[in-house]
């Protein structure tokens, strides 16, 4: 069982922002919170307890804000002018992604589909991020 | 190049804590911040600029606190009594890991070796976490 | 009147965590927030104003999180391996207490009884804490 | 030993602010952090390790800010106009106390004496607080 | 169009608190958040969507807390004893203003009128602030 | 004297972000913190007390982070696609401004000139912001 567990375990090299700079970043931080937002939205939809739903809205607000923060940090601290030249749509992609985690996105809506939109945008960013890591 | 990038990209299913509960957790959150602490410690050692080193200490303090928080959340919100029965050393492992991110660990020391100790503890927790995910 | 007030006034030596370490801790910090959670829960029950109840849920969420934090700090920063040997159930006690301040406890419930359970757990911790202060 | 421990244990009824209002307050919260500031200042004085001293300054800044916050909350959320009439110097006392936890006080100084000044001010507030609790 | 825009643009010299002290303060910080509270209250009144209203309460709670904080900072860090002598009602004015941003004010109420009361108090403080800047 | 004070007082209509959306924004929030960063940098340069300088670095780090946050909020929550079309350099302007408040800017440097660069960028954003307010 242990071997199976190890094989299935994600190989996630962790990166984090600290603005020293420490040179350590990973879109997983944003995606982690967005996965949480999606799960919260699903539970909100499945519940018929108003108090539970209120808690879901409270927490969804917080996790969505964290998504915005992690994305902003990547946009400002990781990506550099050469990246923006190579990917001319990158600014727009980040602007759309952060909007999708805000009032017009997962903050203002408890639709699971909205959270999936956000995750899709983060995945686009993630692809570009790993391409820039290769060179 | 794109294919290579995609193959090398970590497959990290994101998990996050939100205490709704949303059922979404991942030790990657703790490991991400610990990788940051390690990078900061290395930069501290390599620098001979006192102002830069002060910034490194400020930021290392913050990231270490985040490691503690992410670990505490796993210990309280993810792991359940059956897990603690199956892994009798799990409480101690978490207690040691969180101590390693504190005053007696990466907060109080800028040694890269101390950060590596912390990462090793997190990896032990990570192994157990994924085993419990399998069943 | 003044004399009476002074006699009735709690003699609380204050201890706080700061992870320097400063050697200053007190379970009163956790208990204070748990008393608040209990009072909020009571007011939630007594109210029939939905907006007021929503505020109560918002604030109960925050104060419960503070209870978790103060307990985690005691568990990691104050208690040492000799304590855990002397009190073999101490890890479990802390794990149960922090769970009682979370989704399965005072976060997820507005029952006053749940808050009283939490206060009882904190009192158990408090007893042990003061015993360790004696020797 | 246990009996002795219980007798010596502080009887601290916990009060906390949450602005619901939950009616739960205690100057112990401010005093707890001020005790921490005093301990940090002492350790700063006793140390000749610049990195340790830097950490002490970082943490003293944070704990001092918490003292200010807890005092402000008492001044705004607990004390009412009748109290300010009964104790005409109360506004000034709070203003002086919060200043003592700021740049001109324990933030800007690592003197233990400054922290003791702050604790003395908090004790004056504490006396008045418990008098108002009596009637 | 540009000239018109520039003429209509507010000439706001920005001041901020940081307790170094940096000598930089402005009641605009408190007023900014209070304007936000007023707008949120209006939107709450205009909405018939319970989820939207819940979000409004969550955010109004946060922005109201920020109003309290900015006011407390002015009261403690900017205003000095000579100011309190020149304006004997200044303590009371600040105490009333911070109460107006709390449970008995904009936190506990979604009435636009309550937010306008708060803005009026802040304007009184603002007048005095600029008088003290002149001499 | 009072009339003079009132004439000289800035007419700052306050805007704030809250992501409800409340429709209330103002670059003054970012500029206020940047003014603070500039003042802190000047005091750092003028001081020869290492403890004071350490405090300056701690606080400059915090205020710089607030500048980044306020700018990110404007970029994501206020500015819309039509604005980005009208001002094709707006994304780049925001990216440069937020970088100037980070490790390569006012966080990593205590030069007053760096803070002035940041203020100049914020002023460019401010101009555009008020133009969009006009239509």
């Amino acid at each position: 069982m242990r071997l199976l567990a190890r094989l299935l375990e994600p190989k996630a090299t962790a990166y984090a922002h600290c603005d020293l700079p420490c040179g350590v970043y990973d879109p997983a931080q944003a995606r982690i919170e967005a996965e949480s937002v999606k799960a919260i939205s699903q539970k909100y939809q499945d519940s018929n307890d108003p108090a539970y739903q209120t808690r879901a809205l409270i927490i969804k607000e917080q996790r969505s804000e964290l998504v915005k923060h992690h994305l902003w940090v990547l946009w400002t601290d990781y990506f550099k002018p050469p990246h923006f030249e190579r990917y001319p749509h990158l600014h727009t992609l980040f602007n759309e992604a952060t909007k999708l985690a805000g009032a017009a996105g997962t903050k203002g809506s408890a639709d699971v589909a909205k959270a999936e939109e956000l995750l899709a945008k983060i995945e686009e960013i993630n692809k570009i991020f790993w391409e820039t890591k290769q060179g």
Side-chain angles (χ1 to χ4, degrees), chain A residues 40 43-45 47-62 110:
Chain A
I40 295 165
K43 296 196 166 208
Y44 177 91
Q45 298 298 338
S47 167
N48 56 14
D49 171 3
Y52 183 88
Q53 289 186 315
T54 293
R55 285 196 66 227
L57 292 178
I58 292 168
I59 298 169
K60 180 165 65 64
E61 195 79 15
Q62 298 169 355

Side-chain angles (χ1 to χ4, degrees), chain A residues 83-119:
Chain A
H83 300 139
F84 294 116
E85 282 180 52
R86 198 186 329 168
Y87 301 93
H89 68 296
L90 191 57
H91 286 310
T92 299
L93 179 55
F94 266 100
N95 197 267
E96 290 173 348
T98 50
K99 277 170 162 63
L100 263 173
T106 59
K107 280 191 183 184
S109 164
D111 279 358
V112 174
K114 187 63 70 178
E116 288 172 339
E117 272 193 71
L118 174 60
L119 280 163

Side-chain angles (χ1 to χ4, degrees), chain A residues 13-14 31-34 37 68 70 80 89 93 99 104 108-111 117 121 123 131:
Chain A
T13 320
R31 187 175 61 231
I32 286 174
E33 298 300 342
V37 168
K68 292 177 81 177
H70 287 306
K80 304 289 190 287
H89 68 296
L93 179 55
K99 277 170 162 63
S109 164
D111 279 358
E117 272 193 71
K121 282 288 176 199
E123 181 50 29
E131 285 182 19

